[in-house]
Amino acid sequence: MTRASILIPSYNRLDLLQACVASIRKHTTDVDYEVIVVDDGSTDGTADWCRREKLALVSLPRNEGFPIACNKGMRLASGDTIVLLNNDTIVSSRWLSNLMTALYSEPSIGIVGPVCNYVSGKQQVHYPYVDLDEFQRIAARVNVSTPKKWRRVERVVGLCLVFRRELMEAIGLLDERFSPGHYEDDDYCLRARLHGFGLLICPDALIHHEGSATFRKDPIAQRQLVERNYQLFLDKWHLDPHVFI
Amino acid sequence: MAIRLKMTGRAKRTKRHRSAHDSASRGSPLQRRRARWGGSRGTRSAPRGRRTKTSSLSVLRWRQEGARIGAAWRSEHPHGTKEALRDYAQRQWSVKAQAGAAGIRALDWPAWRSAGLAFARGIRDGSGLAVALMPLALRGRAAAVVSAGSDPDALRSTLEQLSALPLEEIVVVLGEAPEALWFAARQHPNAVVTHVPQTLDPGIGRALGAKLTGEDIVLFADGSMPVPAVALASFLWRCDGGMDAALNDCASRDRLFHQRGEVPWMKEFLNMSLGRPDLKTNSLDALPFALSRTALDAVGASVLAVPPRAHAALLVKGLKVGIGGRTPRTATAEELAAGDHAEAWREAITAKGPRLHYQDKVRNRSVVGGVVHDTGIHPYPVL
C-alpha cells in the first residue's frame, strides 16, 4: 500500500489545527501516513505546538498564503499520495482509505475529493448534525467504500485534495500567482485534466468543514481577493472557471 | 687589459640563457636537476590565472558611488530598516553590473569582490547604518540550505552572514533540536525553518533542504561553522557563471600523501577513477559548496544524503564540477566514509560498467566477442 503525505497549511488558528490533527490521528489508522504542517507565519504558538507534538513542520517567516505554503509542503512530502487539507476540517472514519480506493481504482484518475456540508459545487451534501459527535456517528455510517457512488467532475475544491505523486511530477506545483488564495484549486484541476487525468468526488468519504473563518474576519477584503483572482484565472486561461463548478 | 664591453640586448639574453644551461651540466646532481627544471618543484599544483588587481582608483570610485547611493536612500527613508537598505543596495549593484559601468572584466572574481566590498563600505558610510552587505550581481536566483548543527550562536552567525548575500530564501533544516537551536533559526526574519521529528544525519538534512527550494543556484552552508559572506559569495559567483558544482578547495591544505589518511585517499581515488585527477581530494562533503539547478535536477536532491555518491553522480553525468572557493571546513565523520564511498563506486559502475573509463590494453577481448572499452557499452558481458 502506498504512503500518504497529509499537508496542512495553517495560519493562526491553532485551535482548529489541533482538532484537525486529533481527528487525523484517530481516524487514519488503516493507512500509512505522515503529517506535515506548514506554518504560514503564525504568531499564536502553532510552530511550538507542532514541535511538541512531533509533527513534521515547515515554518515560513511570514504569511505567504495557501499556494506558497502548500508548495513547500509538496516539495517536502515523501509519500506516493499527497493530501492537501485545510486546517478547519475534521476527518472521519475510513476517510483516507476510501479516498485512496477511489484514487487508485484506475490509472487515469489523478485527483479525488470528499463531500461535506460546507463547500461550493457538487461536493456539497446535507447531513443533519448539530455537533461533532453527531457528525462522527453519521460519517461512520456514510463512509463505506461504494464505487458506484463516485462521480466524475471537472473541479475538486482545495479544502481536501488527494492526488498521486505522478500527477504532481507531471503538472508541477500550485500556481503561486493566485496567492494568498482562491482559484489555485480550479487552476490545478484544469491542468490535471489537460494532462489527461480524471477527477472524482467520493460521497463515501464525508468530512466536516468549518469554513469561512477567514471570510468572517474581513468579508470585503475577501470578496476583493476573490474578484482579483477570478480575473487572474481569466487572464491566464481565457476560460470562466465557473463553468467547471 | 681587455676592455669589457657592456652586454646589451640579445647578447645579454643569450648569456643568461647559456649560463642556465651551463649550470645544468655542472654542480651536484640536485643542482643540475633544479637547473634543468627551472624551479624547486617540478609541477605546480594548479595553473594560476592572471589576476587583475582592481586599481585603487576604481575601488575608491565604487566607495564614493556607494556613499552617494547610501546617503540618497537615507534622506528618502529616514526611518528605513537595514533589510530595506540591503535589498535596495543589491538592486542598485545589479543595475550597475549590467550597465558594465566599472569596466571590470566579466569573469574576474577578485576584481568584482573588491569593487563590491568598496561599494558596501560606501553604502555604510553614506547611510550611517551598519548593514552587513556583500554586493553580488547574479543572473539567476539563489537560495541557501543550512544544516543547523548544534550550536545556536554559530547558527545565528551563519544566518547573519547569509543575510548579506542576495538570496531569495534561506532554508534551515533541524532534526530533533533543543529549544535554543530552534529559536536561533526562527528568529531570523527570512528563514524557512524545517523541523523533522527525528535525529537527522547532516547529509539527509541537506537533501531535505535541497528538496524545499526550487531556485537556480543552491548554496549549502554549515550552521556550526560560520563563513564570511565574501567567501560564500565566490561559490554563488562560480555557479552563476556556468559551473554546476562549486566545491570547497580543501586539497590545497593537504599534507603529503602518506600522511593524509584513508578518507582523503578514497576521495582522491574516486576523482581519479572517474577521470578527474585535477580535483585531488576535493569532494562534495566539504561545506560550503554550491550546486546549480541543472545539477540538482540531474542527480536528484535525495542523493545528497550520501555525499560521495552525489559526487560520483555529478562526475558520471558529465556535469561541470570545479572549485568555487577556499574556506576552512569542519572535519567529516570518518565512520561512514567507507560505506559511502562503496555506494559511490556502485553508482558509477552501474552507469559506466565495471571498468569505468579505463581501457583494457593488455588483453585482446574483441577476439572472443568481449568489449575493450566500457564507456557507452553496458551491461558488461561476463567473460
Side-chain angles (χ1 to χ4, degrees):
Chain A
M1 199 56 187
T2 59
R3 187 170 203 234
S5 293
I6 304 175
L7 313 174
I8 313 176
S10 190
Y11 175 59
N12 272 347
R13 287 304 303 269
L14 181 56
D15 52 337
L16 294 175
L17 178 66
Q18 286 167 331
C20 179
V21 172
S23 71
I24 292 173
R25 284 172 164 163
K26 186 160 183 206
H27 297 291
T28 323
T29 48
D30 46 356
V31 172
D32 180 23
Y33 69 95
E34 63 169 351
V35 173
I36 300 176
V37 176
V38 185
D39 172 16
D40 201 3
S42 303
T43 48
D44 64 350
T46 294
D48 295 327
W49 180 81
C50 291
R51 280 173 35 244
R52 282 198 300 275
E53 290 291 311
K54 305 236 183 289
L55 294 168
L57 166 71
V58 180
S59 165
L60 302 183
R62 66 191 71 82
N63 185 242
E64 306 267 19
F66 190 79
I68 293 179
C70 283
N71 285 349
K72 281 279 182 269
M74 282 158 76
R75 284 184 185 279
L76 192 65
S78 57
D80 307 295
T81 308
I82 316 284
V83 182
L84 297 182
L85 191 65
N86 274 22
N87 64 350
D88 59 351
T89 54
I90 302 283
V91 302
S92 47
S93 77
R94 296 180 295 276
W95 72 287
L96 190 53
S97 49
N98 287 359
L99 286 167
M100 284 171 70
T101 305
L103 181 64
Y104 292 103
S105 61
E106 263 176 65
S108 62
I109 304 292
I111 308 179
V112 302
V115 295
C116 57
N117 271 15
Y118 193 99
V119 66
S120 68
K122 298 177 177 139
Q123 288 165 275
Q124 167 121 49
V125 289
H126 302 280
Y127 287 102
Y129 57 84
V130 294
D131 61 27
L132 288 174
D133 291 327
E134 211 177 335
F135 158 71
Q136 292 291 358
R137 281 196 295 276
I138 293 174
R141 275 203 322 272
V142 168
N143 290 359
V144 174
S145 186
T146 319
K148 65 180 192 313
K149 284 189 182 173
W150 303 334
R151 290 171 61 195
R152 286 261 171 175
V153 292
E154 291 171 325
R155 185 206 63 161
V156 179
V157 177
L159 73 96
C160 178
L161 279 176
V162 182
F163 52 92
R164 297 168 185 259
R165 170 170 290 278
E166 185 196 322
L167 175 131
M168 183 171 80
E169 283 164 6
I171 75 175
L173 304 173
L174 299 179
D175 191 339
E176 293 178 1
R177 82 179 72 187
F178 294 104
S179 297
H182 296 292
Y183 293 104
E184 67 281 352
D185 43 359
D186 301 67
D187 173 80
Y188 206 62
C189 291
L190 178 55
R191 280 153 54 197
R193 287 193 300 117
L194 287 171
H195 275 78
F197 288 101
L199 277 45
L200 290 179
I201 57 172
C202 305
D204 56 358
L206 171 69
I207 67 170
H208 172 74
H209 177 225
E210 195 63 45
S212 56
T214 340
F215 185 79
R216 283 190 211 115
K217 262 199 211 123
D218 191 347
I220 298 170
Q222 279 301 304
R223 206 173 4 249
Q224 281 174 343
L225 177 59
V226 171
E227 276 302 311
R228 166 195 170 255
N229 281 11
Y230 175 65
Q231 195 56 49
L232 280 175
F233 189 101
L234 284 174
D235 293 340
K236 181 178 178 184
W237 293 108
H238 307 288
L239 282 173
D240 185 352
H242 296 151
V243 306
F244 302 126
I245 294 177
Chain B
M1 187 173 75
I3 296 168
R4 259 187 131 142
L5 287 171
K6 187 175 172 189
M7 274 209 261
T8 56
R10 178 187 277 252
K12 195 168 185 181
R13 284 198 296 277
T14 316
K15 178 179 185 279
R16 219 184 292 137
H17 188 64
R18 203 189 302 126
S19 66
H21 270 262
D22 285 346
S23 58
S25 52
R26 60 164 183 269
S28 72
L30 181 60
Q31 282 174 322
R32 285 203 296 275
R33 203 183 318 136
R34 278 191 178 149
R36 242 194 336 269
W37 294 109
S40 57
R41 285 195 187 273
T43 49
R44 286 177 180 255
S45 50
R48 288 250 204 98
R50 240 193 2 246
R51 285 185 56 191
T52 304
K53 278 203 192 116
T54 318
S55 75
S56 44
L57 184 61
S58 69
V59 165
L60 184 62
R61 257 194 55 221
W62 279 114
R63 196 166 156 190
Q64 286 167 344
E65 186 71 10
R68 187 184 63 77
I69 291 174
W73 181 88
R74 188 59 163 174
S75 58
E76 274 172 50
H77 307 93
H79 303 291
T81 58
K82 285 185 193 174
E83 285 75 32
L85 174 58
R86 187 156 45 215
D87 291 339
Y88 179 72
Q90 290 281 11
R91 278 197 307 274
Q92 286 295 308
W93 179 254
S94 286
V95 164
K96 294 199 184 300
Q98 271 163 21
I104 302 170
R105 278 187 305 140
L107 296 174
D108 194 9
W109 170 243
W112 274 112
R113 183 183 59 211
S114 335
L117 288 171
F119 183 77
R121 187 137 173 230
I123 293 276
R124 280 192 286 273
D125 293 343
S127 65
L129 287 178
V131 56
L133 171 68
M134 179 60 226
L136 191 56
L138 298 173
R139 282 176 295 225
R141 291 161 60 98
V145 169
V146 182
S147 20
S150 51
D151 181 1
D153 294 321
L155 181 60
R156 251 189 290 267
S157 280
T158 303
L159 293 175
E160 226 175 273
Q161 292 302 318
L162 288 170
S163 304
L165 298 164
L167 299 170
E168 303 297 328
E169 65 184 352
I170 301 173
V171 178
V172 184
V173 185
L174 297 172
E176 275 185 343
E179 290 289 304
L181 199 62
W182 163 264
F183 285 118
R186 185 57 284 160
Q187 58 80 36
H188 190 277
N190 245 343
V192 172
V193 187
T194 309
H195 164 262
V196 176
Q198 57 208 54
T199 34
L200 274 189
D201 193 55
I204 297 189
R206 287 199 286 278
L208 286 178
K211 275 177 86 173
L212 269 178
T213 177
E215 308 296 356
D216 304 315
I217 306 165
V218 184
L219 172 68
F220 293 84
D222 190 350
S224 57
M225 185 138 201
V227 169
V230 59
L232 294 173
S234 156
F235 294 87
L236 291 172
W237 179 259
R238 296 281 171 220
C239 275
D240 195 55
M243 213 180 262
D244 289 312
L247 304 181
N248 189 1
D249 184 15
C250 308
S252 50
R253 283 189 295 275
D254 272 343
R255 298 149 105 194
L256 295 175
F257 185 85
H258 69 281
Q259 296 168 322
R260 286 179 203 160
E262 285 136 1
V263 177
W265 289 334
M266 281 196 283
K267 288 189 204 172
E268 186 159 14
F269 184 48
L270 182 65
N271 283 328
M272 288 190 64
S273 60
L274 294 175
R276 289 297 304 270
D278 61 301
L279 290 176
K280 290 180 277 214
T281 57
N282 290 321
S283 170
L284 208 64
D285 71 336
L287 291 169
F289 63 87
L291 293 177
S292 68
R293 179 51 40 193
T294 318
L296 279 168
D297 288 343
V299 303
S302 40
V303 79
L304 291 173
V306 183
R309 213 180 127 199
H311 188 81
L314 289 170
L315 294 180
V316 157
K317 290 202 152 67
L319 293 164
K320 297 195 261 294
V321 178
I323 301 299
R326 186 188 309 167
T327 70
R329 47 155 287 201
T330 41
T332 8
E334 305 260 331
E335 316 84 59
L336 300 171
D340 289 354
H341 277 86
E343 278 193 53
W345 273 299
R346 200 175 302 133
E347 171 110 4
I349 286 168
T350 312
K352 286 190 137 183
R355 299 191 69 81
L356 297 178
H357 69 281
Y358 295 106
Q359 201 177 351
D360 186 356
K361 292 178 180 168
V362 173
R363 300 173 191 81
N364 193 357
R365 292 171 184 258
S366 50
V367 166
V368 290
V371 292
V372 171
H373 201 167
D374 260 349
T375 309
I377 307 162
H378 182 69
Y380 186 84
V382 174
L383 288 181

